[in-house]
Amino acid sequence: MSIDDNANRAVAPHGTSKRGNRFVNCLVACPCICAMAIMAGLLVTIIGSSMIIAREGAGVFGSSANNDLNDIRTREHEAYSQVKDWIKVLNQKGEEEEELDEDACVVQRWGSEPRPCDKNQYPNLTQSGDMVMTLFVAKEGDNLFTESQIKQLKAVEDGILKHEEFNDYCLRWDKTGYDTSCSPPLSPLSLFYADFGGSGSMAEVFDDVDAIDGTVDGVLAAFETPGMNAELASIQGSYTTMMMGFMAGANSSCGLGGVGSPMAFYMPGTQACLMQQTMASLTVASTTKLVYEAMFPLVAAMRNPRGEALQDIDKTLLLAAYMKTIGFYAPYVDYYFDSGFSVSNPVSKHSRGIISFGMPLPGYKNSDENRTEQRDKFSAWFREEFNDFLQETQKSGDVDALFFATPLVRDEFLAILLSDAMKVAVSLGLVFAWIWLQTNSVVVAIAGIAEIVLSIPLAFFFYYTIFGFKYFDGLNVMTIFIVAAIGADDIFVFMDQYKMSSYRPEICVDLKTRMNWVYARASWAMFITSATTCAAFICTAASPLPQIQSFGIFSAFVIAADYILVVTWFPAVLCVYHNYLEQRPCCPCCCCGAGTDSGACKFGWRMQELWPCTREHQTSTEIVGARGPGEEPQKRMLEKAISGPFAKFLGSRYGAPGTLAAFFVLLIPAAVLASQIQPLTRSEESLPADHPFQRLWTLSGEEFGSSAQTTNTPVHLVWGVGPIDNDGINILRQGGEAKGALVWDDTFQFDEAAQQHIWNVCEEVRKMEAPNLENFLSRDKDSPESYGEVKCPLDDWKAWLERVGGPGFPLPLAQLKDEMTAFMNSNTTNAYGQDVPLKDVIALGYDQDTNAVRSIIVTVTSQLQSRASHSSEKLSKAYNAFEDWISELNDESGRLGAPTTANKVFQVSDGDFNGPNWVWMHTQGLFRESAITGACVGTVLAFIVILCATQQIIIACSAFITIASILVTVIAMMKIANYELGSTTSICITILAGLSVDYVVHLAHAYNDSEADGRAEKFQEAFDVIGVSVLSGMITSLLASLVLLMCQLQFFAIFGFFMIFTVTWAWLWGNMFFMCLMRLCGPDKSMPWYLQVPYSVLPPAPKCCQSTPVKVEDEVAEAKEEVVIDRVNAPSPDPVEGQPLEVPRSPGSLPAHS
């Protein structure tokens, strides 16, 4: 049978008119011009995107607006941020503004706003600089503090503290610079090696306290005395006052000649004398006095450099356990022992410490002057002296020593970022390699990977410039992996249709006919999948979080941009490839004399098609058109496997029902596991769990309780404003810098009642006597009385009014103007003994124009550790405690009796890595809600799109069940991997629906588009048409994701985990479950009309919109006519001497030798 006979029986696919698709015809006629024109358009968008980035700078890529603008916590924190800036403006009113210098020094620290550099002079090494955090874990047993292991801890610390140059870099405790000795390290060894100066020991202190109750039984019952905490603070406060007066030269019988002095203070017996005078002046319980006197030597010893003699270990541990129960003594010990350490269990498996270094270095005024240069000098010294020592220490001994050395952090994280960036590049390289392998063409692979990459700037141009979305979150960079998976899948769909056309000689009449056939089949299939995936991603716009909104919408733009390129630029490149490069012999084959059919030459086509040795070659369309009977090409191995044994088994009598039964059984435990997924109960990990940094962070956050020695998160109490007004604010449209309107509290007045009330609040925090304050407020580690930590503007205001000749506190509102103006223009003394303008440091906003105090901010300290990530449960507990306290402070009939002029205070918390703590707490919940909601809505929307595309309710319902099952199965895998619903996993679930619909939609379209009569034939044709494309797409996604699993940044690793299991289960459920459903109950010509709705009830399309199927014989005749005309008009070639004249053949005719 001739090709013409085959053509007479063939029918062109849907959408092919006699003239064909005009766009495709244009691509075929002028492929180079079309490719260059499309690329020129792309270059315009790339240049436009580059100009936007150059103009906006790094501000284009934001991640600071990840909050729910309608949530009260977000509105309150934004109000605090704005009123803090307003206070600066109000306090500087009337002063000449300094001209802004573009080169002025600015300090930018993580999690804080930029600030001008400090211009003051400070003594060397008196400002905080770098530090080394240590955490020790007993490798065996539950008790770290055995004699041998304590000595090992000392050897580790001595390796740093006793370095010959340590004193040149250590933090100095005396801020005035008079005493240049180093500040003692924060270490449990200050207990075990406490230096009593030869006049006592830890055992003696323990015995003295034990004997207070009259019995020496090892039980320190004296620590259980009611009210002891407040009385100890009172004693310490009185002693401190007397000591400061003594050192200032006050009259005292304890001094030389009846006068105190710094020299006399350190003479033997002076401090004991002052203590006796203090006790005599106070009325407190005798037991409290005895405890204070017995513990005084230990407290003094812990503030001094430690000694060399090891104290009694058992009594030290038990005494520390009792000290931990008293708020006054707890700050001395609670940092060193884990949460399980108690009087009933005086053992600790973990311990930690801090060794601090100082700034500025010699030759610099302060820590801000040439900050980078100072850091580099110190880091170079520390790296050279201690890097090897710390590495070796981690691997030796019975103690697992972990270090977080800030001088080495930058190098470590830079190495991690570079390593992970290389892995991301390798991931894209594997995608390129698989496309190359499957298409057998480096040109097609280059075009494919270029199309994938170029879809990003094209989408950005439309997202940012055309549609005006001004917020672009940093999370959006992850779309490169999504488009790599979906884009590669589209490439395989197009290329597989192109290759399948070579199996049908009747299609390969000429390139125009062939490309029209390929384009009609591939473009519609890709359109349905792209539309469904875009719809699933757009569903995330329903989230209240701009981060998720931006990611979902931009992902939809990227998928749409990829589709546009894969149906425009990629076919143009494919036509160029067909005309000039495909089937061309390669240089190595020519040079070596190998035939064009040899395996070496076939391999050479892949490698060197860009460097052909001759322009003469026969195109693949001509080869197929000239193919004779029995010369059908061999299918590829993957095609044979998918459409052969795999499809035949699934379509067999027992294969389809058995597979469905197996998947239904699988769904039961998957659903049970998925239902057990729970919100995050621990802090999220940024690095692998076994990384030393991550281990230190995790153990420090999970194994230790709160301590005043840690840097804890401030909480701000704000009077004078209300929550911000965010009406009309759209972060997605206006950008991350869009701000709401500040709402002033008109009821707030700084009258006598308000002054007294706010000062009472500060006193309540200081004394820590109110119920439950100990549970959520932190004590001041620098306070001798162990008071609660508070920064209160009313302290300065009260001291000003109670000065000699002052009007007294509180001040009537009518007298505010004169006193407040003088007060704000006064100076205060900082920790370095320097005078600084009060209005530069006080959190009180006074408006001179209206003579009103507009706002006051009081800052307390929570027990939430700073520079740490906290679970939602932990944050919620702390937030509720603060909110209950704020309710009491605002209660007019409450403990402090809030006046109506100051009863609308609210509280906000600072944060670090994830933003403000209370806002982050709410955001974590929204991540979970958005993840589940987005996945469900995406699945429903996919059902609607599939129903509209196929017009078959059975196909749409089957696809819906399949996609929902994929979601359940992947969430079950998350449970098996012990993942919880944190921010990273929630983001991954959000995109789950978008990724899981792709394969199912491809298969659904292929089944529905089949013109076969029965289910078995439609089932088989679907695998023939699209099976290998779906498999290739799945393999591409797996290759890209496997590399991500090796990344150290856990966001990439978790994203890789989700990608792997999403595409794997999507392929399994789609190919096996969905297709078996189609095999058993899919719509075919024998199915009743009521099971084929809405197709069976919809009216036919208007004639203008109907496509007229045309037989290929018309295309053949038209092609023959065009060729004849071209050859008649073409000049006859001159014959070559010695060669016979070749007779022209029409397209599709058999070779002359046949």
Side-chain angles (χ1 to χ4, degrees):
M1 183 183 297
S2 67
I3 292 179
D4 289 344
D5 293 334
N6 284 330
N8 290 335
R9 303 194 316 170
V11 179
H14 300 311
T16 303
S17 66
K18 185 173 181 179
R19 297 178 61 185
N21 186 303
R22 293 182 179 180
F23 176 74
V24 177
N25 293 343
C26 181
L27 292 180
V28 173
C30 307
C32 293
I33 295 176
C34 291
M36 288 188 292
I38 296 170
M39 181 55 66
L42 281 173
L43 289 176
V44 170
T45 63
I46 293 173
I47 293 173
S49 300
S50 301
M51 292 175 63
I52 292 171
I53 296 172
R55 183 182 70 245
E56 303 292 339
V60 172
F61 309 102
S63 57
S64 59
N66 305 331
N67 310 324
D68 179 8
L69 297 184
N70 296 320
D71 181 63
I72 186 65
R73 285 153 287 233
T74 301
R75 296 171 58 208
E76 287 177 343
H77 193 275
E78 181 59 29
Y80 158 73
S81 299
Q82 289 197 28
V83 79
K84 185 172 60 172
D85 295 335
W86 266 105
I87 287 175
K88 294 179 182 178
V89 173
L90 290 172
N91 292 348
Q92 300 300 328
K93 186 178 293 186
E95 296 186 358
E96 294 184 2
E97 296 184 1
E98 297 182 3
E99 293 185 3
L100 295 177
D101 183 1
E102 294 182 357
D103 299 326
C105 177
V106 176
V107 176
Q108 172 70 73
R109 293 184 177 178
W110 178 266
S112 62
E113 298 178 356
R115 63 168 178 81
C117 290
D118 193 350
K119 298 180 181 180
N120 295 319
Q121 176 87 37
Y122 300 100
N124 291 338
L125 305 176
T126 55
Q127 292 181 283
S128 297
D130 287 286
M131 67 174 65
V132 178
M133 298 175 61
T134 59
L135 195 146
F136 303 102
V137 185
K139 292 183 178 179
E140 296 182 2
D142 294 329
N143 187 17
L144 173 67
F145 296 107
T146 63
E147 182 176 353
S148 62
Q149 293 178 157
I150 291 174
K151 290 180 178 179
Q152 185 177 340
L153 266 60
K154 185 174 185 297
V156 171
E157 291 192 0
D158 285 348
I160 298 176
L161 299 176
K162 293 188 176 181
H163 188 277
E164 57 184 6
E165 297 179 358
F166 177 75
N167 289 345
D168 297 335
Y169 295 94
C170 70
L171 177 65
R172 295 173 181 173
W173 72 271
D174 184 4
K175 303 300 182 184
T176 66
Y178 179 79
D179 188 339
T180 59
S181 58
C182 296
S183 178
L186 200 59
S187 169
L189 300 182
S190 61
L191 282 168
F192 294 98
Y193 288 92
D195 187 359
F196 290 87
S199 60
S201 66
M202 189 68 72
E204 292 178 16
V205 172
F206 183 90
D207 293 339
D208 290 344
V209 177
D210 189 11
I212 292 175
D213 64 350
T215 57
V216 181
D217 54 3
V219 178
L220 306 186
F223 276 99
E224 301 174 2
T225 304
M228 175 178 285
N229 196 60
E231 292 182 339
L232 288 171
S234 176
I235 295 173
Q236 183 65 34
S238 299
Y239 175 76
T240 301
T241 302
M242 184 173 292
M243 178 187 67
M244 297 301 293
F246 183 88
M247 297 187 71
N251 294 329
S252 174
S253 59
C254 298
L256 296 175
V259 178
S261 67
M263 183 180 296
F265 180 77
Y266 292 102
M267 294 182 64
T270 301
Q271 296 182 33
C273 177
L274 292 174
M275 179 59 62
Q276 291 176 1
Q277 291 184 2
T278 300
M279 293 297 185
S281 65
L282 295 174
T283 303
V284 295
S286 59
T287 301
T288 303
K289 291 183 178 180
L290 293 174
V291 169
Y292 187 90
E293 291 175 343
M295 293 292 294
F296 185 79
L298 172 60
V299 173
M302 292 183 66
R303 291 173 176 167
N304 296 328
R306 65 186 182 218
E308 296 295 327
L310 181 62
Q311 300 291 331
D312 186 297
I313 297 176
D314 293 336
K315 290 186 176 181
T316 299
L317 289 171
L318 188 54
L319 180 59
Y322 275 102
M323 291 173 67
K324 193 177 177 183
T325 63
I326 301 296
F328 180 80
Y329 290 120
Y332 292 98
V333 297
D334 57 5
Y335 184 78
Y336 309 129
F337 304 99
D338 58 30
S339 301
F341 183 76
S342 64
V343 173
S344 60
N345 183 46
V347 294
S348 180
K349 183 180 179 66
H350 311 84
S351 187
R352 55 184 176 174
I354 296 177
I355 299 174
S356 300
F357 296 90
M359 292 182 78
L361 299 180
Y364 299 90
K365 289 196 309 181
N366 54 55
S367 60
D368 290 347
E369 183 183 12
N370 296 328
R371 188 177 186 85
T372 302
E373 182 179 303
Q374 290 192 69
R375 294 280 186 182
D376 290 343
K377 282 185 178 180
F378 175 75
S379 297
W381 170 79
F382 188 90
R383 189 182 303 107
E384 181 180 354
E385 300 297 331
F386 297 112
N387 188 43
D388 294 340
F389 169 75
L390 296 180
Q391 296 290 338
E392 294 172 0
T393 301
Q394 293 178 355
K395 303 175 183 178
S396 60
D398 299 328
V399 176
D400 194 358
L402 304 174
F403 300 95
F404 182 77
T406 56
L408 305 178
V409 167
R410 185 177 64 177
D411 294 342
E412 177 69 16
F413 273 97
L414 183 60
I416 290 174
L417 290 174
L418 290 176
S419 174
D420 285 359
M422 290 297 297
K423 290 169 185 172
V424 171
V426 170
S427 176
L428 295 178
L430 289 176
V431 174
F432 170 79
W434 183 252
I435 297 175
W436 184 359
L437 180 65
Q438 286 301 104
T439 60
N440 289 346
S441 171
V442 67
V443 174
V444 173
I446 292 174
I449 204 70
E451 167 242 310
I452 289 171
V453 174
L454 290 175
S455 61
I456 301 291
L458 178 61
F460 178 80
F461 181 80
F462 279 89
Y463 173 90
Y464 196 90
T465 304
I466 305 300
F467 287 85
F469 294 106
K470 300 304 181 184
Y471 181 74
F472 188 86
D473 196 83
L475 176 66
N476 293 354
V477 299
M478 299 305 293
T479 54
I480 186 64
F481 299 103
I482 296 174
V483 74
I486 296 176
D489 184 55
D490 288 344
I491 291 169
F492 292 135
V493 170
F494 201 98
M495 286 302 298
D496 286 338
Q497 295 304 312
Y498 177 78
K499 290 183 178 180
M500 287 179 185
S501 67
S502 67
Y503 303 156
R504 301 181 62 176
E506 70 274 16
I507 297 299
C508 295
V509 178
D510 57 14
L511 182 59
K512 184 179 75 172
T513 306
R514 182 181 185 184
M515 285 301 296
N516 270 280
W517 186 88
V518 172
Y519 199 88
R521 292 169 66 91
S523 61
W524 180 241
M526 294 184 296
F527 173 78
I528 295 176
T529 56
S530 297
T532 309
T533 306
C534 287
F537 277 119
I538 288 176
C539 287
T540 61
S543 170
L545 299 177
Q547 180 186 39
I548 301 299
Q549 293 174 350
S550 175
F551 177 77
I553 294 175
F554 182 71
S555 296
F557 271 92
V558 171
I559 300 305
D562 176 76
Y563 174 76
I564 292 172
L565 292 180
V566 83
V567 297
T568 56
W569 189 67
F570 186 77
V573 174
L574 185 59
C575 290
V576 175
Y577 169 72
H578 169 275
N579 292 340
Y580 302 104
L581 300 173
E582 190 180 21
Q583 304 293 338
R584 185 181 296 280
C586 57
C587 289
C589 299
C590 297
C591 297
C592 298
T596 58
D597 294 330
S598 68
C601 193
K602 289 180 180 179
F603 181 75
W605 289 343
R606 300 182 187 178
M607 296 295 296
Q608 307 213 16
E609 58 192 12
L610 288 176
W611 301 274
C613 56
T614 176
R615 292 183 58 85
E616 298 178 1
H617 80 290
Q618 193 175 21
T619 66
S620 60
T621 303
E622 293 173 343
I623 293 174
V624 174
R627 186 183 300 143
E631 297 181 5
E632 288 78 9
Q634 292 293 320
K635 290 186 177 181
R636 293 166 292 168
M637 181 178 65
L638 287 179
E639 287 182 275
K640 292 180 180 179
I642 292 296
S643 60
F646 183 77
K648 289 180 180 177
F649 169 75
L650 294 179
S652 63
R653 179 179 180 182
Y654 300 106
T659 303
L660 284 178
F663 272 83
F664 276 122
V665 171
L666 171 67
L667 190 59
I668 296 173
V672 172
L673 288 172
S675 66
Q676 296 174 357
I677 199 71
Q678 58 184 351
L680 197 65
T681 58
R682 59 184 186 273
S683 59
E684 287 194 278
E685 296 177 347
S686 303
L687 298 173
D690 58 350
H691 192 281
F693 286 177
Q694 186 61 57
R695 285 192 63 201
L696 186 145
W697 296 333
T698 302
L699 291 174
S700 182
E702 296 181 358
E703 298 296 339
F704 293 88
S706 175
S707 170
Q709 298 294 345
T710 58
T711 302
N712 291 335
T713 304
V715 173
H716 309 282
L717 279 59
V718 185
W719 281 269
V721 295
I724 209 77
D725 181 7
N726 282 324
D727 288 346
I729 299 299
N730 187 324
I731 294 295
L732 206 60
R733 287 290 187 181
Q734 299 169 322
E737 300 302 319
K739 304 295 182 184
L742 189 61
V743 179
W744 295 98
D745 178 12
D746 295 332
T747 65
F748 175 73
Q749 292 186 17
F750 198 56
D751 58 11
E752 293 175 275
Q755 295 172 44
Q756 187 65 55
H757 175 68
I758 296 174
W759 188 79
N760 289 341
V761 172
C762 297
E763 276 295 286
E764 179 172 278
V765 176
R766 247 187 301 270
K767 297 298 180 62
M768 297 283 278
E769 295 176 359
N772 300 322
L773 292 188
E774 287 273 5
N775 297 331
F776 58 91
L777 290 180
S778 179
R779 292 183 177 273
D780 186 355
K781 62 183 178 182
D782 297 323
S783 168
E785 301 88 355
S786 292
Y787 281 155
E789 188 167 5
V790 59
K791 295 179 181 177
C792 183
L794 271 293
D795 291 342
D796 292 309
W797 175 242
K798 186 172 184 290
W800 172 264
L801 296 179
E802 293 180 345
R803 70 190 187 279
V804 177
F809 177 86
L811 185 72
L813 190 61
Q815 304 176 26
L816 184 65
K817 182 176 182 179
D818 294 337
E819 287 295 334
M820 184 60 72
T821 302
F823 171 69
M824 296 297 288
N825 289 326
S826 65
N827 291 334
T828 187
T829 304
N830 63 15
Y832 302 91
Q834 301 170 332
D835 288 340
V836 295
L838 180 68
K839 59 187 176 184
D840 290 349
V841 296
I842 194 169
L844 183 150
Y846 173 63
D847 189 351
Q848 300 178 23
D849 296 338
T850 60
N851 186 32
V853 174
R854 302 298 302 274
S855 181
I856 291 178
I857 301 175
V858 172
T859 300
V860 300
T861 305
S862 70
Q863 295 183 4
L864 296 169
Q865 185 174 343
S866 186
R867 298 179 184 175
S869 179
H870 303 289
S871 67
S872 178
E873 180 182 1
K874 186 175 183 180
L875 291 176
S876 179
K877 182 179 179 181
Y879 173 76
N880 291 332
F882 272 100
E883 281 296 289
D884 291 342
W885 181 48
I886 292 297
S887 297
E888 293 178 3
L889 298 184
N890 285 330
D891 189 354
E892 296 180 15
S893 59
R895 185 175 59 253
L896 299 181
T900 56
T901 54
N903 66 346
K904 291 183 175 61
V905 64
F906 62 85
Q907 56 88 21
V908 298
S909 173
D910 284 350
D912 280 295
F913 306 113
N914 299 310
N917 280 332
W918 309 150
V919 178
W920 173 240
M921 173 192 69
H922 176 67
T923 301
Q924 289 186 75
L926 287 181
F927 272 133
R928 296 189 292 271
E929 294 174 10
S930 299
I932 303 301
T933 302
C936 294
V937 174
T939 304
V940 173
L941 195 56
F943 165 80
I944 296 173
V945 174
I946 295 171
L947 181 62
C948 293
T950 63
Q951 300 181 12
Q952 293 287 349
I953 188 65
I954 291 181
I955 294 180
C957 289
S958 299
F960 176 82
I961 295 171
T962 305
I963 296 170
S965 301
I966 296 169
L967 295 175
V968 171
T969 310
V970 174
I971 295 175
M973 296 303 300
M974 185 177 76
K975 176 63 179 177
I976 293 174
N978 201 30
Y979 285 133
E980 295 178 327
L981 275 177
S983 60
T984 303
T985 50
S986 297
I987 290 171
C988 292
I989 292 176
T990 301
I991 66 175
L992 183 56
L995 287 173
S996 59
V997 303
D998 196 49
Y999 303 150
V1000 177
V1001 175
H1002 271 310
L1003 294 166
H1005 171 261
Y1007 179 89
N1008 187 64
D1009 203 48
S1010 172
E1011 297 180 359
D1013 294 337
R1015 295 192 190 99
E1017 293 78 11
K1018 292 170 73 71
F1019 172 89
Q1020 182 64 48
E1021 186 174 337
F1023 275 115
D1024 291 341
V1025 170
I1026 207 70
V1028 68
S1029 303
V1030 172
L1031 178 61
S1032 297
M1034 187 269 289
I1035 294 174
T1036 304
S1037 302
L1038 283 181
L1039 291 175
S1041 305
L1042 284 172
V1043 179
L1044 294 181
L1045 286 180
M1046 297 183 286
C1047 289
Q1048 294 200 67
L1049 293 176
Q1050 288 303 282
F1051 183 87
F1052 289 113
I1054 295 174
F1055 189 86
F1057 171 89
F1058 269 83
M1059 284 281 289
I1060 287 173
F1061 284 102
T1062 298
V1063 299
T1064 300
W1065 283 113
W1067 188 88
L1068 291 173
W1069 279 95
N1071 281 269
M1072 303 179 76
F1073 180 82
F1074 174 79
M1075 289 305 293
C1076 287
L1077 281 176
M1078 294 298 97
R1079 176 65 182 86
L1080 295 178
C1081 58
D1084 62 3
K1085 293 186 177 180
S1086 63
M1087 180 165 283
W1089 68 270
Y1090 53 83
L1091 293 179
Q1092 298 196 54
V1093 293
Y1095 174 79
S1096 58
V1097 297
L1098 289 176
K1103 292 184 177 181
C1104 61
C1105 301
Q1106 292 182 10
S1107 60
T1108 305
V1110 179
K1111 294 184 178 181
V1112 177
E1113 60 185 358
D1114 296 334
E1115 298 286 350
V1116 173
E1118 182 181 352
K1120 289 180 178 180
E1121 182 179 352
E1122 291 176 356
V1123 171
V1124 170
I1125 293 174
D1126 291 343
R1127 297 198 174 187
V1128 168
N1129 295 331
S1132 301
D1134 295 331
V1136 180
E1137 184 177 354
Q1139 293 186 3
L1141 182 64
E1142 183 177 358
V1143 179
R1145 300 194 309 270
S1146 63
S1149 63
L1150 297 178
H1153 66 269
S1154 298

